[in-house]
Amino acid sequence: MKGGFLLKTLPQYALGIAHGKIILMGEHSVVYGEPAIALPFPAVEIQAKTTNNKGPVTVESFYYSGTLNEVPSLLENIKAVIEKTCHTLDQAVENFNIFIESSIPPQRGMGSSAAVSAAIVRSLYNFFEEPLSYEKLLELTDVGERIAHGNPSGLDAKATTSTDAVYFENGNDFSYMSIDMEAYLIVADSGEIGNTKETVQAVKNLLEKFPEDTEEIIHKLGDLVTYAKDAIDFKDPRTLGTLMSKAHHYLKKLTVSNETLDHLTETAIQNGAIGAKLTGGGRGGCMIALSENKEDAKKIAEALEDAGAIQTWVHSLKMGEL
Ligand code: PMV
């Protein structure tokens, strides 16, 4: 351990940031090796601030403020990430405080758990003034994700730390894709907490009960993702929108939607969206809709709020436009 003999003066504080993510297409089918597309969603983010503080490590967050040793089970992922990162940096787990501030709503499929881990890793590397490779960032973020999600696909860790969209293939391989099209994504938070573990299990149960039909749906969802990638490459929002709505139809068949998400997707279509679907694990969390211009997007967002969404965002798919 580097310790008492260290002459280097550490900074007073150091920041680390990671943003949210949205699954555009491919949730659930990705678990069975089909492709998926996830987008970085910088409208929401998590900031971790590490500050010099003599004594045991302390954490301050919306959920808990106190020593690292006594964090509630909900924050075990954070504890594991801090300890593993310090270990990797060859630093003692002491003499700092981590303050966590987040605008990513939790348990809505926006990647809050991956983002908090990534923000902490970045902040600690900045604090100890060590360079951080992207591979190491993903590896350490994964330590938290294994605790938060059991068996993470790794999609969240990549999408919350990347500036480009991520295309996932064959259950493991990924590449980055840039999206640059005249279209707007409307993201709506249903206000209901999603439970990804539960819905992943529901699909698994369905596969056991009705293997042929369920496998067919999963393949169809995978095909839609492949077509969606082409639609993005050809800058064709209308086709992308149609594919999104089709995906929602199949996700419903997989039993991972619910009345609220169905109602919000229908509301979006009735108000001019060219496609709409749930995003993430489902049975709560968020939904997304697509429009070809900003005016429509704003109108759709308002309609979604009137229909019960607790928060909406309009996200441009045009490169460089916020
Ligand atoms: O709810 P989220 O955003 O974490 O998305 C889950 C996506 C699933 O495909 C349902 C599960 C997974 O591990 O990929």
Side-chain angles (χ1 to χ4, degrees):
M1 290 280 164
K2 288 176 196 167
F5 301 108
L6 194 69
L7 290 172
K8 189 161 113 179
T9 319
L10 293 169
Q12 281 302 84
Y13 71 88
L15 294 178
I17 296 174
H19 47 66
K21 72 104 217 297
I22 293 292
I23 296 181
L24 184 65
M25 295 280 280
E27 50 277 273
H28 289 290
S29 43
V30 72
V31 173
Y32 299 95
E34 299 289 343
I37 301 170
L39 310 180
F41 190 54
V44 289
E45 65 172 32
I46 290 187
Q47 203 179 80
K49 182 177 177 183
T50 305
T51 312
N52 254 317
N53 186 37
K54 264 227 139 345
V57 171
T58 47
V59 176
E60 270 176 82
S61 74
F62 177 75
Y63 298 103
Y64 168 79
S65 288
T67 63
L68 184 64
N69 276 336
E70 288 163 331
V71 291
S73 54
L74 184 73
L75 300 185
E76 279 297 327
N77 55 332
I78 287 178
K79 184 167 187 265
V81 169
I82 294 173
E83 287 174 348
K84 182 73 181 169
T85 306
C86 286
H87 183 76
T88 308
L89 284 164
D90 205 13
Q91 294 287 345
V93 190
E94 61 184 18
N95 297 334
F96 61 82
N97 165 272
I98 294 202
F99 177 67
I100 298 159
E101 210 170 11
S102 173
S103 59
I104 308 182
Q107 291 176 283
R108 306 296 212 289
M110 282 190 165
S112 69
S113 66
V116 75
S117 294
I120 286 172
V121 174
R122 282 176 163 158
S123 168
L124 283 171
Y125 267 76
N126 280 338
F127 186 70
F128 290 112
E129 299 180 320
E130 292 288 341
L132 172 63
S133 71
Y134 192 54
E135 288 67 33
K136 191 52 88 183
L137 173 64
L138 291 181
E139 185 191 314
L140 291 168
T141 300
D142 201 50
V143 170
E145 283 296 88
R146 277 184 196 287
I147 291 171
H149 289 303
N151 189 20
S153 59
L155 197 85
D156 279 19
K158 289 176 187 82
T160 55
T161 53
S162 156
T163 47
D164 280 329
V166 185
Y167 186 68
F168 239 63
E169 250 179 317
N170 306 324
N172 227 330
D173 294 344
F174 74 97
S175 53
Y176 293 105
M177 56 187 279
S178 33
I179 299 185
D180 185 16
M181 66 201 291
E182 201 65 52
Y184 294 83
L185 203 63
I186 303 98
V187 180
D189 180 356
S190 71
E192 292 172 9
I193 284 173
N195 186 336
T196 302
K197 256 187 198 161
E198 180 196 298
T199 54
V200 168
Q201 185 60 43
V203 175
K204 198 168 167 229
N205 295 346
L206 214 61
L207 254 175
E208 279 162 18
K209 223 168 155 189
F210 309 107
E212 274 181 29
D213 290 353
T214 311
E215 264 171 39
E216 199 186 323
I217 295 172
I218 288 171
H219 287 316
K220 281 189 173 151
L221 278 166
D223 288 345
L224 293 178
V225 179
T226 314
Y227 304 146
K229 186 174 185 299
D230 289 344
I232 290 167
D233 289 343
F234 287 115
K235 302 184 193 294
D236 178 0
R238 289 232 153 228
T239 302
L240 177 61
T242 306
L243 295 166
M244 285 167 61
S245 292
K246 281 196 174 148
H248 186 75
H249 167 79
Y250 288 120
L251 288 164
K252 241 172 112 163
K253 288 194 172 215
L254 289 183
T255 76
V256 299
S257 189
N258 66 4
E259 257 180 49
T260 310
L261 292 169
D262 290 345
H263 178 55
L264 292 176
T265 49
E266 279 154 26
T267 303
I269 300 291
Q270 281 159 11
N271 284 275
I274 53 175
K277 65 184 276 291
L278 67 85
T279 177
R283 291 193 194 165
C286 294
M287 56 76 64
I288 52 176
L290 196 70
S291 80
E292 280 180 304
N293 62 66
K294 210 171 193 168
E295 291 66 43
D296 283 357
K298 284 184 185 160
K299 191 179 137 216
I300 294 161
E302 272 170 32
L304 288 170
E305 285 183 18
D306 289 345
I310 61 161
Q311 205 173 353
T312 57
W313 298 262
V314 171
H315 177 73
S316 172
L317 295 181
K318 185 118 193 90
M319 210 181 264
E321 185 183 305
L322 288 174

